[in-house]
């Protein structure tokens, strides 16, 4: 099994850091999307005076 060079480790590290940034950006967008959806549902419930969210009941 050949040993890896420092260059290989640096390249892998750079790729992993890039992937982390991509995932953090996707997570941030997903959270924003969820917040917008919740706000939209809340406003619709207030405006039309109807329950939209499903109420969970413990059995």
């Amino acid at each position: 099994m050949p040993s890896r060079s420092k260059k290989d480790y640096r390249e892998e590290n750079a790729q992993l850091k890039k992937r982390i940034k991509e995932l953090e950006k996707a997570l941030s967008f997903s959270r924003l999307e969820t917040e917008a959806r919740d706000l939209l549902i809340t406003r619709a419930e207030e405006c039309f005076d109807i329950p939209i969210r499903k109420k969970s009941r413990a059995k």
Side-chain angles (χ1 to χ4, degrees):
M1 181 172 176
S3 62
R4 297 171 60 185
S5 68
K6 286 184 180 182
K7 182 180 177 186
D8 291 337
Y9 283 111
R10 280 192 216 111
E11 288 175 359
E12 183 181 8
N13 193 12
Q15 289 175 349
L16 291 173
K17 284 182 180 183
K18 183 179 176 185
R19 181 68 176 142
I20 288 171
K21 285 187 181 203
E22 290 171 355
L23 292 172
E24 287 174 340
K25 185 177 179 180
L27 177 60
S28 177
F29 181 79
S30 178
R31 286 180 176 161
L32 184 60
E33 188 177 35
T34 300
E35 187 177 337
R37 187 179 308 115
D38 286 343
L39 181 61
L40 180 68
I41 290 170
T42 299
R43 295 294 180 245
E45 287 177 332
E46 291 171 356
C47 184
F48 299 112
D49 196 29
I50 58 171
I52 296 174
R53 288 185 180 89
K54 184 176 180 179
K55 308 293 183 201
S56 63
R57 293 189 174 160
K59 292 185 179 183

